Amino acid sequence: DRQLVAAHISAMEEHMAGLTIRYQTALEERFKTEKNYQALETRISEKKRLVEEKRHDLMQKEKKLDLLETRTEEQLRNARDLSEQQLSCSNEKGAYVSQNRDISRKISDAKAKLCILKKDDMVLESHFEENEHRVKHLSNCLRYNIEQRRHYQYELHSLEESLDTAKKSEKA
């Protein structure tokens, strides 16, 4: 009977050692998952900040573009008025035409830059959405690891009680 109890205790100890290793592995996985989750939260916060900065920059550039367009329209009207009034002054007319071309080119450049910024904003929003999905996935992984840890803690506790009972039986 003692050999049988000793063999049973030895098997229980081996099983407990295996559970301890699985419990430790689960704890390590949880730590890694939490660390990844925190890193993702940090990256998401940074992406949000960058998106907000880009939006703010984009709004500022849109305001500047509107102001530039208004000024350009005023300058074009002024240039037309001056051109009509001073047809005899071809040099001045040439200067206004050149200036208008430069302004038109600047408007085209500003519109192209605005278009690029809008595309960048869409890409950043896409990355933000992807990161939100990753965070949800890691949250689910974390919940699963916590449930696994609780299960193994309960199983370990039960086995420790069984081992204590077996040792008491062996002594008796």
Side-chain angles (χ1 to χ4, degrees), residues 20-142:
T20 302
I21 289 170
R22 290 194 333 221
Y23 176 72
Q24 188 65 33
T25 302
L27 284 177
E28 290 171 4
E29 285 298 317
R30 177 180 177 215
F31 176 74
K32 287 177 188 176
T33 301
E34 287 174 345
K35 196 173 174 183
N36 287 341
Y37 181 79
Q38 289 171 352
L40 265 177
E41 281 185 330
T42 302
R43 283 190 288 199
I44 286 172
S45 294
E46 181 62 20
K47 292 285 184 184
K48 282 182 180 178
R49 187 186 63 75
L50 287 173
V51 166
E52 285 304 315
E53 284 178 10
K54 289 284 186 182
R55 282 188 181 142
H56 179 73
D57 289 348
L58 187 60
M59 288 172 54
Q60 293 298 321
K61 287 180 180 176
E62 284 178 331
K63 287 178 185 176
K64 287 179 183 178
L65 181 61
D66 289 344
L67 184 61
L68 184 60
E69 284 178 335
T70 302
R71 286 182 185 165
T72 301
E73 289 171 5
E74 288 174 7
Q75 287 177 347
L76 285 171
R77 278 193 302 273
N78 291 340
R80 277 189 225 113
D81 291 346
L82 287 172
S83 292
E84 290 173 5
Q85 292 172 5
Q86 301 174 346
L87 284 175
S88 62
C89 300
S90 62
N91 288 342
E92 286 182 23
K93 182 181 176 187
Y96 281 116
V97 169
S98 175
Q99 184 182 11
N100 287 342
R101 278 192 211 123
D102 288 344
I103 291 170
S104 294
R105 183 183 42 79
K106 287 179 183 177
I107 288 173
S108 295
D109 291 347
K111 284 182 180 178
K113 287 178 184 176
L114 182 61
C115 183
I116 289 169
L117 288 173
K118 285 180 181 178
K119 287 178 184 175
D120 287 347
D121 194 29
M122 290 189 316
V123 168
L124 285 173
E125 286 178 4
S126 170
H127 288 309
F128 177 72
E129 290 172 7
E130 289 173 12
N131 285 335
E132 281 185 326
H133 292 298
R134 288 183 188 148
V135 166
K136 287 178 185 174
H137 173 72
L138 285 174
S139 292
N140 291 337
C141 289
L142 181 60

